[in-house]
Each structure stands twice: as structure tokens, then as C-alpha cells.
Amino acid sequence: MPSTNCAGHEELYAELNGYIDSVKNQPGSLINVLHRAQEIFGYLSEETQQHVAEKLDIPLSQVYGVVTFYNFFSTKPKGKHQIKVCLGTACYVKGADRVLERLKEELGVDLDEPTQDGKFSIHAVRCLGACSMAPVVLVGERDFYGKVTPDEIGKIIEKYKEE
Ligand code: FES
């Protein structure tokens, strides 16, 4: 297991351990523990998964199986602002792939990886239910942009740079 001497890191694990002890013997505790771990750390690293397996006394493969089965669990850190680009059929036909390419260029990252300053990450999603506005980009949970062109990407990102 990688070294965990950073104080903040240890405190976070202490918080997780407290939670694990409180639910350890309940049915469905693995999912609940993983949810809590993701809330605490932002994502589920291999180290965190290993820790959960040890504390619950179950094989790592069982933890990994659950983490990869549910798409709300993430094994990579995400940016503060998550930019979701719809790659559903309607959006794709209207040029979502070009929008995505421009985003990657502007932020200098690939899909599902955070920018160096941790502010942004880009994620591909399926139909967001707004096909008439294709191509569609969603920033965070609420900021919705429709009929987006690659040239508008810079302006959209700018809005979140200072936040
Ligand atoms: S395909 Fe993108 S919103 Fe439906």
C-alpha cells in the first residue's frame, strides 16, 4: 500500500474507519461504505478500495467488482467543474465530437482526467434528454449549454476559471 503519512490523508481515513465500524455488520454495508468513501475522497483509488476490503474483511476483487459495476463510482479523481459532453446520436450527428476535441485541446486533458489545477475534467455521457438542443454540454449538475459550437468552448470554460 502507498505511504499515507500526510496528516489530512490520515484524518480522512479515520473518518472512513469510523463510518465502517458503524455499518460493518449491516446488510449492504459494502455499497454504503463505498459511497461514504467516495464522498470523503472524491473518488475510489486502488488504495481506498484495498483499505475497504481489509476493514470489511472481504476480497479486493469483491470491492472492485462493485466499484466497476455501478457507474456512479469513480476510480479516478474528477475536476471541481465536471464538463459532460453528450455523445448520444443526435448530439453526435450535430458535431459533439468536434466540441469534445476542442474541449480536450483547450484544457490539455483527455477524457476522465482532471486538469493540473484540478479545476476541470471532461466526461462523455449518453443522451441527456435534450436532443432538440444538440449538441449539448452540461457543466456541473445544472449549467446546461445547447447548440454548442467548438468556437464557444473557450467562452464557456472562462466562466468557471475563477470559481
Ligand atoms: S443525444 Fe444528446 S441530448 Fe439527446
Side-chain angles (χ1 to χ4, degrees), residues 8-9 11-19 33-44 48:
H9 200 73
E11 275 164 30
L12 296 179
Y13 271 105
E15 190 182 338
L16 179 60
N17 289 344
Y19 182 77
V33 166
L34 291 173
H35 269 297
R36 190 75 192 102
Q38 184 156 290
E39 269 169 30
I40 293 172
F41 295 98
Y43 71 108
L44 299 169
T48 305

Side-chain angles (χ1 to χ4, degrees), residues 86-92 125-136 144:
C86 177
L87 292 184
T89 310
C91 287
Y92 197 85
V125 293
R126 301 214 183 126
C127 182
L128 288 165
C131 308
S132 61
M133 300 290 286
V136 169
F144 180 90

